[in-house]
Amino acid sequence: MSIVETEDRGAVRHVVLNRPQKRNAFNDELVLGLREALHAAADDDAVQCVVVRGAGPMFSSGMDVGFLGALSGQPERLRASRRPILETWNLLEEMPKPTIAQIHGACLGGAMELALAADLRVMASDAVIGLVETRVGLVPDVGGSSRLPSVVGLGRAKEMIMASKIIDGTEAERIGLVNRVAPADELDAATDQLVTELLACAPRAVAYAKRILDTVAKPNLSATLELEVAAQELCARSEDFAEGTRAFAEKRQPEFSGR
């Protein structure tokens, strides 16, 4: 069974994260599998819309704990390890076809950054979502800090990132983070309804509109993505990150130095 599965529903390509035994946490294999699947969807003329979702009880818990461990031990490898992740997330945003993240269970950290790269988000009302990096002494560095303000506004973005706030689907829709919310057992139907509305529009016009809107909303994206990684390099070398990873492993609250 593939770590990323695909399912075609007419003109819609469903790309499914398939590592449920690890809560669909992103390791190198899952990132590579997702990148290949997104490239294939982007290059297939028969595909007019892409939906990314997760197998098992949740969308994704974010980056694999092994990734954080490696970052703690070798912070100089940050840029190299981050590059394929960012390239994959960017694919979701940059392909000319509309993309949707269908969120159930939980969508945390790097997984929320992936969802932010999608054009639209549909979420179960009882699911939870958040960027929790500051809890371990890091910042969202694969697009979360750059994209969230354009979706929910600067004030709410600061609250979610600086306080590592986790919210449910109902709150996510209220603040504009997701486009549709539905009970978990109606999530597929809610996604299908949004897809139907997208497919009723001219694909070329949708593609042009997508490009224009993204350029307007994130005119300095490349610069802010560079700021993210520069900040993360400093965080990864800090005592706060060392303490955050120790506390995470020991299942306790961290005691940050503030230095």
Side-chain angles (χ1 to χ4, degrees), residues 164-185:
S164 283
K165 186 175 182 179
I166 298 174
I167 60 177
D168 64 17
T170 301
E171 176 68 3
E173 185 192 36
R174 188 185 74 81
I175 67 173
L177 177 55
V178 302
N179 302 84
R180 306 281 171 92
V181 66
D185 60 356

Side-chain angles (χ1 to χ4, degrees), residues 142-193:
V142 285
S145 301
S146 295
R147 292 185 171 106
L148 185 59
S150 68
V151 176
V152 300
L154 181 59
R156 294 194 188 280
K158 284 184 174 180
E159 181 180 7
M160 288 198 71
I161 291 174
M162 294 165 66
S164 283
K165 186 175 182 179
I166 298 174
I167 60 177
D168 64 17
T170 301
E171 176 68 3
E173 185 192 36
R174 188 185 74 81
I175 67 173
L177 177 55
V178 302
N179 302 84
R180 306 281 171 92
V181 66
D185 60 356
E186 298 176 16
L187 187 61
D188 285 341
T191 301
D192 289 345
Q193 177 58 41

